[in-house]
């Protein structure tokens, strides 16, 4: 008999990002290796905050930002990006807590499905999402830069 054990989700203080949080959030994303030269994190945050169908959620332990998730929807399905938990505080359940908050935000927006993308080389993160009940989709993602940039290689 196999018994599944669910880790408790810590009680982080989770709220939408504030102006004063932006530098700390970007620093966390950089510490987690989430930023890429072709994506300006400040612009990504501004874009997420511009419309009511997206935001950046920030999880705090005391005054420290220890987790984030950019969440939004296109009216059909939800998406999550920039999921981060402080690398010095891993295995405390912060990733689970911020993902639960992202799921709750999307559920409140009426989204029946959540999708996210994981880079192929990030097997550890794929295992994390599988532990939360996510399944690998049999979908190929195509992309095109609309601003004339060449795709990163």
């Amino acid at each position: 008999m196999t018994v599944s054990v669910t880790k408790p989700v810590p009680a982080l203080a989770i709220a939408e990002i504030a102006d004063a949080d932006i530098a700390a959030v970007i620093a966390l994303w950089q510490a987690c290796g989430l930023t890429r030269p072709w994506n300006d994190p400040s612009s990504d945050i501004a874009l997420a905050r511009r419309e009511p169908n997206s935001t950046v959620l920030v999880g705090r332990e005391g005054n420290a930002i220890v987790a984030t998730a950019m969440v939004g929807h296109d009216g059909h399905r939800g998406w999550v990006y920039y999921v981060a938990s402080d690398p010095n505080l891993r295995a405390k359940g912060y990733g689970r807590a911020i993902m639960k908050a992202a799921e709750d935000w999307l559920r409140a927006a009426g989204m029946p499905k959540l999708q996210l993308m994981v880079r192929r080389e990030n097997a550890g993160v794929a295992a994390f999402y599988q532990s939360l009940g996510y399944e690998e989709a049999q979908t190929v993602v195509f992309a095109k830069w609309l601003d004339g940039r060449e795709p990163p290689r």
Side-chain angles (χ1 to χ4, degrees), residues 60-142:
R60 287 183 173 77
E61 182 182 65
N63 292 328
I65 294 174
V66 297
T68 67
M70 181 181 289
V71 60
H73 66 84
D74 57 19
H76 182 67
R77 63 179 54 93
W79 288 89
V80 176
Y81 303 91
Y82 288 111
V83 175
S85 65
D86 187 320
N88 298 316
L89 301 171
R90 293 269 162 89
K92 289 191 165 202
Y94 298 147
R96 289 177 180 277
I98 202 72
M99 281 303 297
K100 181 182 180 320
E103 290 173 1
D104 291 346
W105 190 94
L106 289 165
R107 209 175 276 113
M111 294 301 106
K113 182 179 184 181
L114 185 159
Q115 294 189 165
L116 50 87
M117 295 181 280
V118 175
R119 291 183 184 94
R120 293 187 194 281
E121 68 272 11
N122 208 342
V125 170
F128 164 72
Y129 289 116
Q130 288 170 341
S131 78
L132 297 179
Y134 289 81
E135 298 176 358
E136 185 175 337
Q138 299 302 312
T139 305
V140 176
V141 176
F142 289 88

Side-chain angles (χ1 to χ4, degrees), residues 38-62:
W38 54 87
N39 285 1
D40 173 35
S42 296
S43 295
D44 289 348
I45 291 169
L47 182 62
R49 296 175 78 192
R50 192 174 303 149
E51 300 294 334
N53 64 331
S54 59
T55 194
V56 178
L57 299 175
V58 175
R60 287 183 173 77
E61 182 182 65

